[in-house]
Amino acid sequence: MGLRAVIILLCVGLAVAVNRPPKMVKHPEIDIWYKPGEAVEIACIAEGIPNPIYRWKRNGIDLNLSGNDARVVQLGTLGTLVFNKPEPNDEGIFQCFADNGYGIAASVRVNFREAKLARFHIQERKVITVAAGDSMTLQCKPPQSLPPADIYWVIKGSDNRRQAVTLDKRVDIDFEGHLRISNVKKSDEQEIQVQVNGSTEKKHAAAELWTSPSDQVFKKGTTVRLRCIFSGNPTPEVYWSKINGSFPDRMAIADWGKELRISDVQMEDAGQYQCMGLNVLSLSNLTKVFDVNIESAPEWEKEPEDQDKSEGEIATFICKAKGVPDPVYDWFINGVPLSYSPSTENVWDHPRIYNNPRFHKIGHNNIALINLTLADHMSIQCNASNKHGYVFSNVYLNVINQAPEIEQEPPDSIKVAESQSVIIPCIVRGKPDPLIEWYRYTTLITGGRFKILPSGSLKISNVTVADAGKYHCKASNKFGVVKSAKVCSVQVKRKTRIEQFPEDLVVKAGFDAKFTCSGSTDFNEARNMVVTWEKDDKPVASTENRMKQNFWDNSLTISGTIVRDSGVYTCVISNGLDTDRAHAFLTVKARPNPPTSVEIYRCPNWDNKAELRWTKGIANNEPVTYFIIQYSTTFNPDRWVSAVAVDYTENTATIDLSPWVNYSFRVIAHNQIGLSAPSKQTLTICRTNPTVPFKNPANVKSIRNRRNKLKIEWSPMNQMEHNGAGFKYLVSYQRQGDPMKTILLNDWRNNSVEVDATEPYYPYQVKIQAKNIMGNSSAKVDNFTLYSYEDVPLGRVSGLVVSNISSTSATITFSWDDLWLEKKGQTASVRGEFKGFRIQYWVDGQQKRTFREDDLPVSLLYPVDWKPDGQTTLVKTNYKMKNLPPFSTVKLRICIVNTVLHR
């Protein structure tokens, strides 16, 4: 009889328990908003063996679905509740429970609320009066809303249709819903429907109109939004910075610079941030500092896990979370709170918990049940919460006795490359956890590079050729022993290696870049070897037209490189067993990006110097060497003039300006590749004050081609040289022996004037001075001697002799008066500036066909050995005429040449 009892107990011990407490696989959302009459569901799905039965609690009381006439139903075998026609009185805190007799799983609690949006309170419409250029705020008192509503401002158009108010840098909405206008314009009377007084806008320096609270707490993972709205005319620019730190990569500036956003905010983002508002009238920086504090909802550090245990073992559940402030922990057994005071509905009434020396609660984070029995199956819940939220975990404890079983046998064979790791599967289950052993042939494997994983599989690290062989596994616990039915043959292959490594490349943008790479692998795996390329750890897309792999030599060519092609390129050689990788850097150098945020932060009042600053652009892998500051003016807005160049270390510059000019500026960066595109021009204009002209017209001369005229000509002064309005030229001239006469020219484009002259090539004293409404120029006025028109010369040569006649040449000799080179002679005989002689000759009777001319300039008229004798002014000149027609009678004449005429 005793032997029979032992056999029965053994059979019970070997029975495999297939039952498992339930576990939630789909929780409902924590907050669900509904509209009465519109269908909505609260999800709840659990799994377990056997399948669980669901029940719901509303506000802690069991929910009875009967009597709802299908208005509220539960979906089939699932726990999901469907409200086909929800009503206002359906609101409440809902929780789902799943019970299969081996435990009770619980869902998160659901805040089920009716969405409400009340109507605006009707107020008497008032017309607001404001001066043009002043700031204005339109208040908004939004109605009650659950959840909080988004706020928009609209106007009613001429067709009675509502349209949104246009928001921009000048007009915006603060976080409270009020409409803020930095400076009011006359056009706002139609857009926003206010009464604007005055047609001339007042100018104001930047001032604070509305800002976010200065001390705020944000929840980790949410988006920080800080906003600064400044009044002022012109509309202020807003700049942001972090005090004693830099912005995170998740920072963005939005809404025309007025809002700072940090998405997915982290604890390290806490600190002080500030905004600064500026316009051209600001005398100092206007700043607002924000203290940003970051707290967090609980996050798991150690989440409880499902546990399958055997009789006599210990089950420990650890529930640990972090958060700011520190979380508070609540434990539940089968959905019932675990408390220290027994009650009729308390989990302590459970015989395995209440007064059970095997159950232990260790601090807030740990519960344990020792010396487990088969009856100790249950569901366990842990909730860690603070004011920002909670994390909730639902796990089970299942106690079973099970002899070892091999769920997955090792494969027949495995191929692995040397130096790689390999896992030989042998998935084992059993309770208590079986002891797993592995054998190579008949030798037990222990330690070193060999590790038995919790699943039972064998991991071999840094495989060598000596590891090849046949492997099998064995599992045992107190209920039995099992050996794998299959033996795995491990084949070790030669390692894949890269032998030709890609090299780093530096190219100019627009040129091609080519990487080459080759390698080797095990002979038997060579047909499987492939070469691929990656850029920045991502495969090079086959659809990328500019990046092509040549499969003949496995090279990668990047055509027409651009800056963003720069990065790490990786050659990857694989045969399906192992992989080798080699990296190379591509640096694409290009012209720098243009500077940004160019602004005038000082426009002169008296010293005619402007100061600019800007933000440097991206250098594009080639350092910037210098910046060029250019200006344009309202005189010539499409023409940009380079004013000054500054070193690459600078982001400010001082520019000398001319009086009475409206300037705009832009900045260009230069590196060794070339010049950047110009920056955007400054949004504001720098205007300088007027003064008298600093100079007078240059290149003053006479043009002597008009008979009976003195024509005076000069280079006109451009508008940059006027220095003020009402610019004019004062042209004064005087004939010797006559009084000085003055002509006033009002058009600055004029570059000449003509006056009557009775004698040719007669000297006049001429002065030209610039003036404007501020007065005459401050420069010295030069006195020029200019001559009137030139006329036909009266002088003649003498003593003409022809000698040394040959078949094609002859020499002529003639005399002329040296006095013609003097002003007296030029006036009386040459009647112009003496330039020399022109010799004209032709064949007698054939003048029209054979006419030719030779010019003799003054520099060639004197004989080499000529010296004045002090008795005569005549000069004898020789000239050899060449290329004459042979056997011909040639006629000639000698003409005196001045600037415009000859005789």
Side-chain angles (χ1 to χ4, degrees):
M1 188 69 182
L3 179 59
R4 184 180 178 185
V6 171
I7 294 173
I8 292 173
L9 289 173
L10 181 61
C11 292
V12 171
L14 293 175
V16 177
V18 296
N19 298 315
R20 188 179 74 244
K23 179 180 178 64
M24 283 289 171
V25 295
K26 184 173 184 180
H27 287 273
E29 296 180 16
I30 295 175
D31 292 298
I32 297 179
W33 303 91
Y34 70 88
K35 292 177 66 176
E38 294 186 6
V40 64
E41 69 175 36
I42 308 177
C44 176
I45 301 176
E47 61 180 17
I49 305 175
N51 291 328
I53 298 173
Y54 298 89
R55 59 186 173 86
W56 286 84
K57 285 189 176 183
R58 176 175 174 269
N59 298 329
I61 301 173
D62 287 334
L63 179 65
N64 185 359
L65 299 180
S66 62
N68 281 294
D69 297 329
R71 192 179 63 81
V72 184
V73 297
Q74 183 175 319
L75 289 180
T77 59
L78 304 179
T80 300
L81 280 184
V82 176
F83 289 77
N84 291 308
K85 293 182 179 180
E87 299 175 351
N89 58 7
D90 288 329
E91 288 187 326
I93 303 298
F94 286 76
Q95 189 173 22
C96 175
F97 298 88
D99 186 353
N100 72 349
Y102 289 87
I104 303 174
S107 74
V108 298
R109 291 187 175 95
V110 181
N111 181 25
F112 191 61
R113 288 289 180 264
E114 177 189 357
K116 301 176 182 179
L117 179 60
R119 292 184 176 275
F120 275 97
H121 177 66
I122 298 177
Q123 296 178 318
E124 181 181 354
R125 181 177 176 182
K126 297 179 180 179
V127 176
I128 299 177
T129 301
V130 62
D134 286 352
S135 63
M136 185 181 73
T137 298
L138 294 180
Q139 301 287 333
C140 177
K141 296 181 180 180
Q144 181 183 8
S145 174
L146 292 173
D150 294 326
I151 299 174
Y152 303 91
W153 281 80
V154 297
I155 59 173
K156 185 179 290 186
S158 58
D159 57 357
N160 286 327
R161 296 179 63 181
R162 288 187 175 90
Q163 59 187 35
V165 171
T166 302
L167 302 181
D168 53 26
K169 185 168 70 173
R170 186 179 63 88
V171 181
D172 208 351
I173 303 173
D174 64 30
F175 290 164
E176 297 168 353
H178 307 315
L179 187 68
R180 307 279 182 172
I181 305 174
S182 297
N183 52 80
V184 174
K185 298 185 178 299
K186 195 68 175 178
S187 58
D188 293 332
E189 290 183 332
Q190 283 73 37
E191 175 76 7
I192 305 175
Q193 298 181 347
V194 296
Q195 182 175 332
V196 180
N197 288 342
S199 57
T200 302
E201 297 178 10
K202 295 181 180 178
K203 302 297 183 182
H204 300 285
E208 183 178 314
L209 185 57
W210 184 90
T211 64
S212 301
S214 57
D215 194 347
Q216 295 190 68
V217 175
F218 294 92
K219 178 181 171 182
K220 178 185 175 183
T222 61
T223 298
V224 171
R225 296 180 64 194
L226 301 174
R227 176 163 288 207
C228 288
I229 302 176
F230 292 94
S231 64
N233 191 22
T235 305
E237 299 287 340
V238 183
Y239 304 91
W240 291 89
S241 61
K242 184 178 182 182
I243 301 175
N244 298 325
S246 57
F247 288 125
D249 294 338
R250 293 163 278 104
M251 185 277 294
I253 303 297
D255 291 353
W256 306 277
K258 288 179 283 191
E259 185 171 318
L260 171 72
R261 294 178 185 172
I262 304 176
S263 59
D264 189 23
V265 66
Q266 301 299 307
M267 305 301 291
E268 61 268 20
D269 297 333
Q272 287 189 318
Y273 295 78
Q274 74 172 6
C275 66
M276 178 173 64
L278 287 175
N279 65 8
V280 294
L281 300 179
S282 299
L283 299 179
S284 61
N285 295 339
L286 179 65
T287 60
K288 175 65 179 287
V289 177
F290 302 92
D291 288 310
V292 174
N293 304 286
I294 310 299
E295 296 184 352
S296 67
E299 299 174 351
W300 286 119
E301 287 188 310
K302 177 64 176 177
E303 184 177 2
E305 298 176 349
D306 296 325
Q307 297 195 38
D308 291 296
K309 294 290 185 179
S310 180
E311 280 186 292
E313 292 187 317
I314 299 174
T316 301
F317 295 88
I318 299 175
C319 178
K320 188 175 182 181
K322 62 180 179 180
V324 180
D326 291 334
V328 175
Y329 297 90
D330 293 295
W331 289 89
F332 304 82
I333 304 296
N334 290 333
V336 179
L338 179 65
S339 75
Y340 292 97
S341 299
S343 68
T344 56
E345 289 188 318
N346 199 287
V347 71
W348 286 92
D349 293 339
H350 196 293
R352 285 166 291 177
I353 305 300
Y354 180 58
N355 289 333
N356 186 350
R358 295 188 298 112
F359 179 81
H360 301 273
K361 187 174 186 294
I362 307 166
H364 300 293
N365 309 103
N366 192 326
I367 62 172
L369 195 61
I370 65 175
N371 196 21
L372 293 172
T373 69
L374 291 175
D376 285 337
H377 47 73
M378 64 184 73
S379 293
I380 299 171
Q381 296 86 30
C382 176
N383 186 84
S385 61
N386 64 14
K387 64 180 181 179
H388 297 294
Y390 64 86
V391 287
F392 183 83
S393 182
N394 191 117
V395 296
Y396 65 76
L397 170 62
N398 199 23
V399 183
I400 58 175
N401 289 335
Q402 183 180 14
E405 292 182 2
I406 297 179
E407 289 187 339
Q408 181 181 346
E409 292 274 351
D412 293 330
S413 65
I414 288 180
K415 290 191 294 185
V416 60
E418 56 182 335
S419 300
Q420 299 294 301
S421 297
V422 64
I423 294 177
I424 308 174
C426 178
I427 309 300
V428 178
R429 69 179 180 182
K431 289 298 175 183
D433 293 335
L435 171 66
I436 312 296
E437 295 176 327
W438 276 88
Y439 294 84
R440 180 174 178 267
Y441 296 111
T442 59
T443 302
L444 179 65
I445 296 173
T446 57
R449 294 180 295 105
F450 299 86
K451 180 180 179 180
I452 299 175
L453 303 179
S455 65
S457 300
L458 175 67
K459 180 179 181 180
I460 309 175
S461 301
N462 195 20
V463 171
T464 67
V465 174
D467 294 331
K470 297 184 181 296
Y471 293 77
H472 68 274
C473 63
K474 185 176 75 171
S476 62
N477 65 12
K478 64 183 179 180
F479 296 113
V481 179
V482 64
K483 179 181 177 182
S484 61
K486 291 185 178 182
V487 175
C488 179
S489 175
V490 176
Q491 305 173 36
V492 181
K493 302 294 183 179
R494 189 168 69 86
K495 182 179 180 179
T496 300
R497 290 180 174 87
I498 291 178
E499 295 175 345
Q500 180 186 0
F501 292 84
E503 297 180 350
D504 295 343
L505 298 176
V506 178
V507 299
K508 290 184 179 180
F511 289 83
D512 294 351
K514 182 177 181 179
F515 291 106
T516 57
C517 179
S518 64
S520 63
T521 190
D522 189 274
F523 177 78
N524 294 322
E525 302 297 327
R527 65 183 181 277
N528 299 323
M529 190 179 78
V530 294
V531 178
T532 57
W533 289 89
E534 296 176 351
K535 178 183 183 291
D536 298 331
D537 297 325
K538 295 180 180 179
V540 172
S542 59
T543 56
E544 175 57 66
N545 293 329
R546 294 186 306 102
M547 294 187 184
K548 294 294 185 181
Q549 181 175 347
N550 186 329
F551 291 98
W552 289 103
D553 61 2
N554 297 312
S555 62
L556 177 70
T557 300
I558 302 101
S559 302
T561 55
I562 56 179
V563 171
R564 69 168 179 265
D565 291 331
S566 300
V568 179
Y569 287 79
T570 305
C571 172
V572 183
I573 298 184
S574 175
N575 61 6
L577 297 179
D578 69 333
T579 299
D580 198 11
R581 311 168 76 89
H583 310 282
F585 291 89
L586 173 62
T587 302
V588 180
K589 296 184 176 183
R591 298 184 304 164
N593 286 2
T596 60
S597 303
V598 181
E599 61 174 340
I600 305 166
Y601 70 92
R602 191 176 77 87
C603 185
N605 292 322
W606 55 272
D607 61 353
N608 285 341
K609 293 181 183 292
E611 294 184 15
L612 267 67
R613 60 186 170 200
W614 60 89
T615 300
K616 298 176 182 179
I618 299 172
N620 290 333
N621 300 318
E622 181 64 31
V624 171
T625 53
Y626 57 84
F627 295 96
I628 301 171
I629 293 82
Q630 296 184 325
Y631 68 81
S632 70
T633 69
T634 49
F635 297 136
N636 199 346
D638 296 327
R639 180 172 178 262
W640 288 90
V641 179
S642 296
V644 68
V646 298
D647 192 71
Y648 72 96
T649 58
E650 302 292 333
N651 71 331
T652 62
T654 301
I655 301 97
D656 292 326
L657 307 179
S658 295
W660 195 66
V661 179
N662 295 330
Y663 286 91
S664 295
F665 300 93
R666 69 184 188 185
V667 182
I668 297 174
H670 174 272
N671 63 15
Q672 293 300 322
I673 308 301
L675 295 173
S676 73
S679 70
K680 293 182 179 179
Q681 70 183 68
T682 50
L683 298 176
T684 56
I685 289 175
C686 181
R687 173 176 292 177
T688 53
N689 294 322
T691 185
V692 299
F694 294 149
K695 59 185 295 188
N696 295 312
N699 300 320
V700 179
K701 58 186 177 182
S702 62
I703 305 298
R704 302 184 293 273
N705 60 356
R706 291 263 292 165
R707 187 181 293 271
N708 300 322
K709 295 293 182 182
L710 167 64
K711 183 177 181 180
I712 307 168
E713 188 177 275
W714 60 90
S715 296
M717 293 173 59
N718 65 59
Q719 291 170 292
M720 294 286 291
E721 300 169 327
H722 293 182
N723 292 1
F727 183 82
K728 299 176 176 62
Y729 298 115
L730 290 173
V731 182
S732 301
Y733 64 97
Q734 181 183 30
R735 186 179 184 277
Q736 187 174 354
D738 293 344
M740 182 72 72
K741 297 180 180 180
T742 300
I743 299 174
L744 184 64
L745 300 178
N746 295 322
D747 188 350
W748 66 270
R749 299 173 185 83
N750 279 344
N751 71 330
S752 66
V753 65
E754 290 184 349
V755 297
D756 294 333
T758 58
E759 296 182 56
Y761 207 67
Y762 200 86
Y764 286 77
Q765 300 301 310
V766 176
K767 297 179 181 180
I768 304 180
Q769 186 175 23
K771 68 170 296 182
N772 60 24
I773 59 172
M774 304 297 291
N776 294 341
S777 69
S778 59
K780 176 186 175 183
V781 183
D782 293 325
N783 190 21
F784 299 93
T785 301
L786 303 181
Y787 289 83
S788 60
Y789 67 98
E790 297 191 15
D791 208 341
V792 177
L794 299 178
R796 295 177 181 272
V797 300
S798 61
L800 176 62
V801 176
V802 180
S803 62
N804 299 327
I805 301 172
S806 71
S807 61
T808 59
S809 66
T811 299
I812 61 172
T813 302
F814 59 91
S815 299
W816 55 279
D817 196 338
D818 187 53
L819 184 64
W820 295 349
L821 288 174
E822 300 177 8
K823 294 301 181 185
K824 181 179 179 182
Q826 292 186 27
T827 302
S829 298
V830 181
R831 300 211 290 183
E833 184 180 356
F834 181 48
K835 297 295 186 180
F837 297 99
R838 180 168 297 157
I839 301 172
Q840 300 173 338
Y841 53 97
W842 61 91
V843 176
D844 187 20
Q846 302 178 35
Q847 180 175 1
K848 185 174 182 181
R849 185 172 63 86
T850 62
F851 183 84
R852 290 168 60 185
E853 291 182 326
D854 292 345
D855 283 336
L856 277 176
V858 172
S859 61
L860 300 178
L861 296 181
Y862 289 95
V864 176
D865 56 352
W866 181 84
K867 293 181 181 180
D869 56 11
Q871 298 179 1
T872 178
T873 59
L874 291 179
V875 179
K876 185 177 290 187
T877 297
N878 297 320
Y879 177 71
K880 185 176 182 179
M881 301 170 62
K882 300 177 182 179
N883 300 319
L884 297 175
F887 197 65
S888 300
T889 300
V890 176
K891 290 189 174 184
L892 68 86
R893 64 183 171 204
I894 300 175
C895 306
I896 300 173
V897 178
N898 59 21
T899 302
V900 295
L901 297 170
H902 65 271
R903 182 178 176 85

